């Protein structure tokens, strides 16, 4: 009687092909860059709207009443811009982590 023992694979771990890794890497780089720029933009909006009217007044710049009212309305929504910035940075981090997981070698089945 013979017993068959499963031999571990000597080939090690395999990841995606080089072309797939390059394509995924380029797409991830673009997506992370865009999400980071969007996040920085939302942070800038959260900061800019509350200080826009006082700075314009300090430098004696002409600002229409409608523009000042719009800036004051958006200034009250600073928390929304901050939340969108956090969400954008979080999405960029999730995309990067998922890409690393996809590109990392995985054990063979």
């Amino acid at each position: 009687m013979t017993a068959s023992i499963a031999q571990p694979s000597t080939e090690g771990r395999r990841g995606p092909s080089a072309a797939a890794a390059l394509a995924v890497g380029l797409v991830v780089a673009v997506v992370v860059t865009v999400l980071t720029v969007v996040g920085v933009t939302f942070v800038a909006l959260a900061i800019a709207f509350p200080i826009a009217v006082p700075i314009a007044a300090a430098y004696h710049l002409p600002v229409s009443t409608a523009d000042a009212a719009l800036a004051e309305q958006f200034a009250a929504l600073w928390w929304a811009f901050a939340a969108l910035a956090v969400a954008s940075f979080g999405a960029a981090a999730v995309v990067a982590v998922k890409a690393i997981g996809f590109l990392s070698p995985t054990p063979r089945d």
Side-chain angles (χ1 to χ4, degrees), residues 16-103:
S17 68
L22 179 64
V24 169
L26 289 174
V27 169
V28 167
V30 169
V31 170
V32 168
T33 301
V34 167
L35 287 171
T36 302
V37 169
V38 167
V40 168
T41 302
F42 281 129
V43 167
L45 288 173
I47 294 170
F49 279 122
I51 64 172
V53 175
I55 288 180
Y59 286 101
H60 307 292
L61 298 173
V63 178
S64 69
T65 307
D67 289 342
L70 185 65
E72 288 178 12
Q73 285 177 344
F74 283 138
L77 297 174
W78 68 268
W79 55 269
F81 293 119
L84 288 170
V86 169
S88 296
F89 292 135
V94 167
V95 168
V97 167
K98 290 294 185 179
I100 290 169
F102 176 77
L103 295 174

